[in-house]
Amino acid sequence: MTDTATAPKVIKGRTGDWEIVLGLEVHAQVASVSKLFSGAAVGFGAGPNQQVSLVDAAMPGMLPVLNRFCVEQAVKTGLGLKAQINLKSRFDRKNYFYPDLPQGYQISQFDQPIVGEGVVTVERDDGTTFDVRIERLHLEQDAGKSLHDQDPNFTYVDLNRAGTALMEIVSRPDMRSPEEAAAYVKKLRTILVYLGTCDGDMEKGNLRADVNVSVCRPGDYEKYRATGSFSHLGTRCEIKNVNSYRYIQQAIEYEARRQIEILEDGGKIDQETRLFDPNKLETRSMRSKEEAHDYRYFPDPDLLPLVLDPAWVKEIEETLPELPDAKKARLQSQYGLSAYDAGVLIIESDRADYFEAAAKGRDAKLVANWVTNELLSKLSSGGHEIAASPLPSSDIAQLVELIENGTISSKIAKEVFEHMWAGEGRPAEIVEKRGLVQINDTGAIEAAIDKLIAANPDKAEAVKEKPQAIGWFVGQVMKETGGKANPATVNELLRNKLGL
Ligand code: MN
């Protein structure tokens, strides 16, 4: 399995092939109990305007005070993205009018962000990987929320979210298919959750993506990578605030085809911001894309430049947990797992912990199989992650132990697992209660074989000519013993008796 730099999705058009180019701006809400520049609480589910300080409401004369904890989370995230930490950065005002933005500007970071270039290694579904370059990460405030559905005549404004800290993580246009874009967000989310800097809850909008989509002809993207010049790429459109892996992919599919159709009709793409409608599965124009100068960015005069002590950054670095890539490499080397199995286990650190607890002293590859195949598929069919598993890791360990010491076959183990899942008890109890112990007694197996050969002399004769036909005998013996005969023993004895 070789890793490829890019795997572009090719779309056949009337005038030839097209490729997709994707860059993402991900907004991740900082997992902080208070806001970026005020002491007001951050939380989901409070009544309207119950978490608003005078700063968030932009009362005249109020001054923002930077939340040190949020800065620490941004630094931590930067380190997790293997990115440059800028010891000096600055906050700027990004001016625009929204009814739910009482300041009339958003405090963000413009040309001096707290985090510079980094890289994220992303796993594709087939286990291959590719790198996405990170351009920057900056800190900024979120806006409030306009509520249009509370009254037939009025729009209400809820400022609970106003001033909440966001980390905007901007990637280079290094994704080439809808699947790669979704895989990137998945990986980014995994890193953030490992770090604890964002809870990754996409349903609540705590992690959401703006997707930049453009199309180009085969070969053009390589020219862009060789020269760094965007002139080789098509004009992009930005799809705002997409908050699920599925929507990200659907929005890209639609948007790429829309652009190709326009270009093939001889039109040109307007650079604009678009919204994805998940009901109609289409994007539609929201506003023509502003250029940076339209926002009239300028340094916020209420805030001093942000200067970090290198010793503090080092201190933060030393507290970083084992990150997904390191964990994956360790699971592969320590337990001999495949890149695929290790990749599945590291998606949630709870999965890896569960696996490691179960694998202690057991056949680790076998444990990985049980966790990634049987357990995770049962859990995911109920929409659960491993933290909600009704089966403790010690149950999987015991099941594997029963296979390892020959008490049950792998086939019977699947049956035992179903009973475990149904809540019938621990594996050893189930095996005993249901009489599922594997028959290793050669005498009993031999008796079954003799009976079978005596009843089917023609088949026993035929198998000598056609040895693969032994499968029929194996099947019959297993049936006779209720699936409990040790398959290896059955095979060996049959070969002897049939003279193979
Ligand atoms: Mn932003």
Side-chain angles (χ1 to χ4, degrees), residues 1-22:
M1 219 183 304
T2 52
D3 286 8
T4 45
T6 64
K9 177 185 172 92
V10 176
I11 299 176
K12 301 234 170 280
R14 275 183 284 116
T15 61
D17 288 350
W18 296 90
E19 291 179 1
I20 303 180
V21 178
L22 304 162

Side-chain angles (χ1 to χ4, degrees), residues 53-335:
S53 76
L54 296 172
V55 173
D56 308 319
M59 289 297 159
M62 291 299 117
L63 287 174
V65 177
L66 183 58
N67 181 337
R68 182 188 171 97
F69 180 80
C70 294
V71 174
E72 186 181 335
Q73 304 316 301
V75 170
K76 225 183 216 182
T77 305
L79 293 168
L81 302 178
K82 299 178 205 123
Q84 169 76 35
I85 304 301
N86 294 328
L87 295 178
K88 192 175 172 208
S89 65
R90 200 177 67 190
F91 287 98
D92 295 86
R93 290 186 180 179
K94 184 183 185 183
N95 297 281
Y96 57 96
F97 174 81
Y98 270 132
D100 48 21
L101 184 69
Q103 290 171 148
Y105 58 84
Q106 175 191 35
I107 305 179
S108 182
Q109 297 190 297
F110 181 48
D111 54 351
Q112 293 183 43
I114 184 166
V115 176
E117 293 185 339
V119 65
V120 174
T121 300
V122 183
E123 284 79 17
R124 295 193 189 87
D125 281 345
D126 64 3
T128 61
T129 61
F130 65 101
D131 281 349
V132 174
R133 294 168 300 162
I134 299 299
E135 187 182 316
R136 58 187 279 154
L137 174 155
H138 63 256
L139 276 169
E140 63 183 26
Q141 310 169 290
D142 207 347
K145 215 174 163 184
S146 294
L147 308 171
H148 305 292
D149 54 1
Q150 308 286 309
D151 187 281
N153 300 311
F154 296 100
T155 286
Y156 292 144
V157 172
D158 179 5
L159 293 180
N160 281 354
R161 216 177 54 186
T164 299
L166 300 176
M167 298 180 283
E168 178 171 335
I169 302 162
V170 182
S171 86
R172 302 271 183 202
D174 291 355
M175 289 145 277
R176 309 300 314 283
S177 68
E179 295 74 25
E180 286 191 357
Y184 164 71
V185 179
K186 233 176 247 184
K187 183 59 180 285
L188 195 56
R189 182 186 174 278
T190 298
I191 294 170
L192 294 169
V193 173
Y194 267 58
L195 290 166
T197 56
C198 169
D199 69 10
D201 193 331
M202 297 178 79
E203 260 171 58
K204 289 184 185 147
N206 295 353
L207 187 77
R208 49 196 200 253
D210 300 341
V211 189
N212 287 291
V213 183
S214 69
V215 296
C216 67
R217 293 294 193 178
D220 286 345
Y221 182 78
E222 287 69 22
K223 284 184 208 150
Y224 152 70
R225 288 302 289 257
T227 63
S229 166
F230 289 108
S231 66
H232 298 290
L233 301 181
T235 304
R236 63 195 162 89
C237 289
E238 182 184 26
I239 310 164
K240 267 291 192 205
N241 280 335
V242 197
N243 71 344
S244 86
Y245 302 126
R246 191 156 53 96
Y247 291 168
I248 288 171
Q249 297 186 61
Q250 289 170 337
I252 294 168
E253 291 279 356
Y254 174 87
E255 180 58 21
R257 280 170 207 283
R258 185 189 73 86
Q259 292 183 14
I260 290 168
E261 224 164 89
I262 292 172
L263 293 169
E264 295 204 319
D265 286 342
K268 78 185 230 315
I269 306 299
D270 292 324
Q271 188 176 330
E272 61 183 358
T273 301
R274 301 178 67 83
L275 275 184
F276 177 63
D277 180 339
N279 297 316
K280 294 188 178 151
L281 295 184
E282 62 181 34
T283 65
R284 55 173 181 267
S285 184
M286 185 179 160
R287 57 172 189 254
S288 69
K289 174 73 184 175
E290 302 86 349
E291 294 295 327
H293 61 251
D294 293 328
Y295 291 118
R296 298 188 187 278
Y297 279 98
F298 67 91
D300 193 307
D302 290 338
L303 290 158
L304 288 168
L306 176 57
V307 179
L308 307 180
D309 179 354
W312 188 54
V313 174
K314 196 148 190 350
E315 227 173 83
I316 295 170
E317 188 165 15
E318 277 157 10
T319 66
L320 291 185
E322 182 182 36
L323 290 169
D325 290 344
K327 200 181 278 287
K328 183 180 172 192
R330 184 173 61 78
L331 293 185
Q332 286 183 258
S333 65
Q334 187 177 336
Y335 298 100

